[in-house]
Amino acid sequence: MKKALLIASAAEHRWFAVSRDPARPNHLIDTNEYVVTTGADSLLCDPGGSEVFPAVFAALSEVIDPRTVQRIFSSHQDPDVISSLGLWHDFNPQIKCHVSGLWGGFIPHFGGEDNTIVGIPDEGGTLMIGNAPLTIVPAHYLHSSGNFHLYDPACKLLFSGDIGAALLPDADSSLYVEDFDRHIRFAEGFHRRWMGSNTAKKVWIDRVRQLDIELLCPQHGAIYRGEDVKRFIDWFDALKVGLD
Amino acid sequence: MKNEKSGVDALQQSVLIHEEVKVVVVSCFEINLMGLNAILLAKKAGERARGFGVISGELRLLSLELQGEMQRLGLLTQELLAMATARLQAERRLARLTDAAAFSDHVAQMLNPAMEKTRSRMVSFNGGAHFAECLEDAYRTCTFGLVLARSARIESAYSGDLRAVLAELSEEFAQKITAVLPRLDALSRITKKLV
């Protein structure tokens, strides 16, 4: 089963990563889910596909009360990101899902009603968790046309969706990147193919270089921390991606 | 439909019904064209084939009636399909929720209301009686069609020069209508499971 591990905390809130399920069937890509919680209010980032819902729900229940999950943040529209939405709504029909306005009419195919989808404008915005603001960072065309990341200035944590993702061998079970040079080999092919545009990449890099990031948390693979965050951004900056 | 009927079963049944209905609709189309052809031939034969022409017109109307009955069956099948899809979705959701609940009593307790709600979405299909009603109508139409085909055969004997051609045509009418009956039997067998 997946495990929920504390990866960051600030005065008011804590971040947990839900990852690494040894029982995951091989035909499913491994995913990381993240939750930030104040105790009374929790925001779940990229809750995962419907097939992993049982493992995610059970792992979350170990560290938070799932009834506190009132909001879901979906970086983009892919099924491995958000197809469990219908199950979360079965559990609590009031849960709001924040996702690019571009995908507002698509996501309800996974579940929910029109009043539970909150469209994020292209320029991003802010979500509050308790008294702490979280910045919604645009990442369009990397790799989805309507794509967002979430930055927590208090914890210096960037939830980066598919950016930073690596398709790791099963033996690599560490939650954090331990050997950057070895790790990045598993990220290269993914980024070359799945990131659509060098222009979009440049916009994103200019934006995140202004942020103070201690943890860069992707939806697949391992978490970059400390110096590896800058290493990753520099590596990504130099990488030719997509078609342009 | 029995409560234990799964979404997959209902989905498969809706496909089987739809396939049979399609075959009958094709037959209706053919009977209609044959009827049109027969009316033209009867006109050619003149006053003596007037009776044959009237019966051919009746057979055309009958084919439209049968087609209408098949359309009703088609609509009922769509209802069955919608029910089957909703049920399938609910079954899959319930399976995921049950998997989650298996992790601990605490989790099971939290998920219990969601599981109950999902179970309640597994509505049973109660359209079996409508299927039976619709099929009875179709049987009646076909039986009447066979009577008409026999009458056409008799009328063809009085149709002058074209009597051999019209006799053959009346035989084709009877064959075409007779061929529909096993399809209705098949539909009856499939839909009986829905009652």
Side-chain angles (χ1 to χ4, degrees), chain B residues 124-142:
Chain B
S124 295
F125 181 72
N126 56 6
H130 297 300
F131 273 111
E133 205 176 280
C134 207
L135 280 169
E136 273 172 34
D137 289 346
Y139 258 107
R140 260 197 300 275
T141 306
C142 277

Side-chain angles (χ1 to χ4, degrees), chain B residues 143-195:
Chain B
T143 311
F144 185 54
L146 287 173
V147 173
L148 283 176
R150 269 201 294 273
S151 302
R153 171 97 183 153
I154 295 164
E155 286 294 332
S156 68
Y158 302 100
S159 301
D161 297 344
L162 288 175
R163 82 170 159 244
V165 178
L166 295 183
E168 199 180 314
L169 203 51
S170 65
E171 189 57 36
E172 278 177 34
F173 272 132
Q175 280 172 6
K176 197 57 85 182
I177 295 165
T178 307
V180 171
L181 291 172
R183 299 298 182 182
L184 298 182
D185 284 336
L187 280 167
S188 183
R189 276 197 301 278
I190 300 162
T191 56
K192 206 164 270 175
K193 294 174 191 163
L194 302 173
V195 181

Side-chain angles (χ1 to χ4, degrees), chain A residues 18 23 33 83 90 182 241:
Chain A
V18 181
E33 292 75 28
S83 69
D90 283 349
R182 181 178 182 279
V241 302

